[in-house]
Amino acid sequence: MSIIGALIQKGARLGALYQQIAPDLRAQQQVQLEWLLTKARDTEFGIYYGFQDILQAPDRLRAFQQQVPAADYNRLHQRWWQAAQQEDRPNVCWPGLTPYYALSSGTSQAASKYIPVTDDMLRAMRRSSRKMALHLAGCPVRGRHIAHPMLVIGSSTSLTREGQHEYGDLSGIISTRLSKPALLSRYCRPGKDISVLPDWNDRIERIAAEAPNWDIGSAAGNPMWTHLILERILERYRLQHIHEIWPNFNVFVHGGVFFEPYRPAFDRLMGQSVHYVDAYMASEGFFGFQKAHDDRALNLLGDSGVFFEFVPFDEENFDENGDLRSEFPRAHGLDTVVPGKTYALLLSSCAGAWRYLLGDTVKFTNPEQGAFFITGRTKQFLSVCGEHLSIDNLNAAVQEADQTLQAGVREFCVAGIRHGSGWRHQWFVSMDNPAVSPKTFAAALDQALCRLNDDYAVERKYALQQIDLTLIPNRHFMDWLEHRGKLNGQAKIPRVLKGAQLEDFTHFLKERAGS
């Protein structure tokens, strides 16, 4: 065992203690809301919306929800964040000057978003990351990975200075601001000289070239890019599985996208069992992580610098485009959410986000323990004729069809297309098994969706025609991201294509077919 690994392993005792302590999430959230309001009451936003009055109200949450409107990115950015960013104006939505802005790729049709990142938020992210690390260190079944280096797959760590602030990918901000001790830096791979490279292809090749020199015990990153890197290593050295080169590889911490459709592809790269751990982190904060290996639910962090509200994702609160119908929706705290019901997340954070519609939808299994699943996106759902398919439905159907047919699915997306007097779902899929035909996979998808969603099953009898499925090379998905300027460690394929995004994707495929 390395000296660094031995030092880190001492944290296992703290990890074991942490697992035994069940936090009172509701109490933590009450404290979090009071702290956020108190800290920001003298900002422009806090004065405008009367934070001082809210703090003196008998029911702070009720007063907060009555006085402060819910807002999406465009509204908050245009009204508040833009001035703070372009003028370097302090005390707009959070005390002081905002030192960083994270470029968020997202899956929306909009250009890159500039998400404010404050020192308070970075400290909160560090605390949350430490909790997850201690938890993993305290799990006996996973403990051996900490004696070996960790491969961290992120976006470029280079930042651009503009006035008194810097902007870039969150990976770069964290690397710059939360610089690790020199001892711990040597524990992480690939190192600054590779992480700073702006071109992903160059970075993948450099990582593959150095792979034999590292004894990796764990990895963390976006599943799409991590899979590409592991696949390239196997290809370069003509290996059957990754454990031929990294025999101690034991844990993969993933985030950014729903992992289950990627699980079979990852399993095929492994020579032995690897523990997959889900972490819920975004440019807006670190919200939770998976604690139990035998339970794939995430666990909410109640003291991560974020106050959470939950808006029922239904026709009362959202229109057909996934936009809020009202600035003051019916929102719940942890104490009133209902298990099994789908909610859209509203965030108020120590980065100056106030009742901010993140865009994710979640479903709780145990609100008291904060156990939940991410079910999709408010903008990423498919319902052209009343079929009401969520991302959760689409992921589950792909996973079921893939497991049944051993298709080796890599990526996929789907769109609703007008077809005569009805509609048709157009799927685009990349898979590794050439023996599986588009028609066979489409039939398996259709069968799974009918079983998973009653509305879909009904519409398939009437307005919704048979699935049309097109197989495309996996590289086309990557090249399209590059074409859109979204080739980075946070990049992800939008599962549902609509409007201009659909037009751009189909035009891109036509150009590729003609070249």
Side-chain angles (χ1 to χ4, degrees):
M1 179 186 296
S2 69
I3 295 176
I4 300 173
L7 290 173
I8 294 174
Q9 200 167 48
K10 290 183 178 180
R13 297 191 189 95
L14 293 175
L17 282 174
Y18 174 68
Q19 292 179 72
Q20 296 171 11
I21 301 172
D24 186 339
L25 293 176
R26 294 167 182 173
Q28 286 181 337
Q29 281 286 277
Q30 290 174 3
V31 171
Q32 203 79 110
L33 177 60
E34 182 176 355
W35 176 73
L36 291 169
L37 292 170
T38 302
K39 186 96 175 185
R41 62 185 167 188
D42 294 325
T43 63
E44 293 180 33
F45 192 97
I47 293 171
Y48 187 87
Y49 286 110
F51 280 12
Q52 184 62 50
D53 294 336
I54 295 173
L55 285 164
Q56 295 174 353
D59 186 339
R60 293 192 184 99
L61 177 55
R62 182 177 177 84
F64 179 61
Q65 293 176 338
Q66 289 178 340
Q67 291 183 212
V68 181
D72 60 12
Y73 170 81
N74 289 332
R75 174 173 175 150
L76 267 179
H77 183 263
Q78 291 170 9
R79 177 64 178 85
W80 301 98
W81 292 350
Q82 186 170 265
Q85 176 191 350
Q86 295 182 355
E87 302 170 19
D88 277 324
R89 200 160 82 205
N91 306 316
V92 177
C93 288
W94 194 251
L97 179 75
T98 301
Y100 303 102
Y101 288 87
L103 289 176
S104 177
S105 298
T107 53
S108 66
Q109 297 178 25
S112 292
K113 300 175 182 179
Y114 289 80
I115 307 297
V117 180
T118 62
D119 288 334
D120 283 319
M121 176 52 75
L122 288 169
R123 280 190 286 269
M125 287 182 173
R126 180 168 54 187
R127 288 195 306 271
S128 299
S129 298
R130 188 182 300 125
K131 285 182 179 181
M132 183 176 69
L134 290 175
H135 175 82
L136 291 175
C139 294
V141 71
R142 302 179 184 131
R144 66 183 177 85
H145 75 276
I146 60 179
H148 306 277
M150 181 180 197
L151 178 66
V152 180
I153 307 300
S155 300
S156 173
T157 57
S158 62
L159 301 178
T160 301
R161 175 159 289 279
E162 185 179 80
Q164 298 182 58
H165 66 268
E166 293 178 282
Y167 67 87
D169 292 311
L170 183 64
S171 305
I173 295 171
I174 292 176
S175 175
T176 299
R177 180 64 180 83
L178 302 180
S179 56
K180 312 174 187 71
L183 189 64
L184 192 56
S185 294
R186 292 197 293 271
Y187 179 76
C188 295
R189 304 291 185 271
K192 186 177 180 180
D193 59 329
I194 296 178
S195 296
V196 75
L197 295 174
D199 186 90
W200 259 102
N201 292 321
D202 291 346
R203 205 180 314 170
I204 289 174
E205 290 303 318
R206 285 287 302 277
I207 291 173
E210 293 291 332
N213 302 320
W214 304 333
D215 183 13
I216 297 298
S218 60
N222 180 309
M224 180 174 69
W225 292 110
T226 304
H227 186 275
L228 284 174
I229 289 170
L230 297 182
E231 189 178 50
R232 176 61 186 128
I233 292 171
L234 265 58
E235 179 185 36
R236 180 178 179 127
Y237 300 105
R238 299 181 181 180
L239 306 175
Q240 295 298 312
H241 54 76
I242 200 64
H243 286 99
E244 290 185 50
I245 194 169
W246 293 336
N248 293 299
F249 185 62
N250 184 236
V251 172
F252 174 47
V253 180
H254 55 83
V257 295
F258 185 61
F259 181 68
E260 291 312 306
Y262 292 94
R263 183 184 290 266
F266 268 84
D267 286 343
R268 286 190 288 270
L269 299 181
M270 304 300 165
Q272 61 191 45
S273 176
V274 168
H275 302 284
Y276 303 120
V277 181
D278 199 357
Y280 189 15
M281 186 175 184
S283 299
E284 292 85 355
F286 195 151
F287 310 134
F289 61 89
Q290 179 186 355
K291 291 183 179 179
H293 174 60
D294 56 351
D295 184 352
R296 294 176 184 175
L298 288 154
N299 291 87
L300 200 70
L301 288 165
D303 57 351
S304 62
V306 177
F307 178 73
F308 299 95
E309 295 175 77
F310 308 94
V311 180
F313 189 56
D314 53 29
E315 294 181 357
E316 177 185 343
N317 292 296
F318 289 86
D319 63 20
E320 63 277 6
N321 295 316
D323 294 316
L324 282 167
R325 294 185 183 276
S326 168
E327 294 179 352
F328 297 93
R330 179 169 53 90
H332 297 261
L334 271 177
D335 56 336
T336 58
V337 295
V338 178
K341 189 176 181 64
T342 301
Y343 296 92
L345 273 178
L346 291 183
L347 306 178
S348 297
S349 78
C350 59
W354 296 104
R355 307 202 73 203
Y356 170 75
L357 183 65
L358 182 66
D360 289 342
T361 58
V362 300
K363 183 182 296 184
F364 281 89
T365 58
N366 188 327
E368 186 173 345
Q369 295 181 7
F372 70 99
F373 289 93
I374 302 171
T375 59
R377 299 278 295 171
T378 57
K379 293 282 188 179
Q380 288 279 296
F381 64 95
L382 187 58
S383 187
V384 290
C385 57
E387 66 272 37
H388 302 303
L389 287 177
S390 67
I391 298 295
D392 195 30
N393 294 150
L394 301 176
N395 282 325
V398 169
Q399 183 182 5
E400 182 176 316
D402 189 22
Q403 290 177 344
T404 301
L405 299 173
Q406 296 296 301
V409 173
R410 299 288 300 279
E411 290 291 348
F412 71 90
C413 59
V414 59
I417 306 293
R418 192 75 186 179
H419 185 73
S421 60
W423 293 86
R424 171 174 286 178
H425 287 178
Q426 172 67 60
W427 286 74
F428 302 93
V429 180
S430 64
M431 60 178 67
D432 293 332
N433 188 351
V436 180
S437 70
K439 184 177 181 180
T440 301
F441 196 80
L445 273 178
D446 189 45
Q447 184 178 8
L449 288 169
C450 284
R451 186 183 58 78
L452 290 164
N453 189 300
D454 292 339
D455 291 333
Y456 176 87
V458 170
E459 293 305 325
R460 276 289 285 116
K461 297 178 181 178
Y462 302 102
L464 197 58
Q465 306 299 312
Q466 189 175 358
I467 286 176
D468 188 11
L469 190 143
T470 301
L471 292 180
I472 63 175
N474 191 65
R475 187 66 211 179
H476 282 8
F477 285 109
M478 306 300 108
D479 291 343
W480 181 59
L481 288 176
E482 185 174 22
H483 161 74
R484 299 179 69 217
K486 293 193 174 187
L487 197 63
N488 56 62
Q490 294 176 309
K492 46 197 171 186
I493 303 298
R495 295 309 185 201
V496 177
L497 299 177
K498 300 178 182 179
Q501 198 175 61
L502 173 60
E503 292 179 12
D504 184 70
F505 184 72
T506 53
H507 179 70
F508 177 82
L509 292 182
K510 287 179 181 178
E511 286 188 335
R512 280 303 170 97
S515 61

